[in-house]
């Protein structure tokens, strides 16, 4: 199994978007069971905050389940 971790500053925009995109890509290629994907932040600045509306809208537009 491949383990992939996306990291950004607060883990509310970039790294979660990358996580959800890769999970979707792995599922569409039939390799989801072979890949473990997660995301993390390097700071606690955004602890407890929801994903920004723009990030969620982008994922919605791409029909990515998050």
């Amino acid at each position: 199994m491949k383990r992939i971790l996306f990291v950004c500053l607060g883990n509310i925009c970039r790294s979660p978007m990358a996580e959800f995109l890769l999970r979707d890509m792995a599922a569409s290629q039939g390799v989801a069971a072979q890949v473990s994907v997660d995301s993390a932040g390097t700071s606690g600045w955004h602890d407890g905050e929801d994903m920004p509306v723009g990030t969620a809208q982008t994922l919605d537009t791409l029909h990515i389940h998050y």
Side-chain angles (χ1 to χ4, degrees):
M1 172 167 298
K2 298 290 182 184
R3 298 178 73 198
I4 301 164
L5 177 66
F6 291 101
V7 180
C8 70
L9 181 65
N11 196 35
I12 62 168
C13 303
R14 295 170 299 273
S15 57
M17 183 179 287
E19 173 190 351
F20 296 127
L21 285 168
L22 184 57
R23 282 186 184 181
D24 185 75
M25 290 168 48
S28 70
Q29 296 294 316
V31 296
Q34 301 169 27
V35 180
S36 172
V37 185
D38 206 349
S39 62
T42 59
S43 76
W45 291 359
H46 297 289
D47 284 353
E49 291 183 30
D50 289 333
M51 180 185 300
V53 172
T55 302
Q57 287 173 338
T58 299
L59 291 170
D60 287 340
T61 299
L62 298 171
H63 306 286
I64 306 292
H65 179 70
Y66 51 94

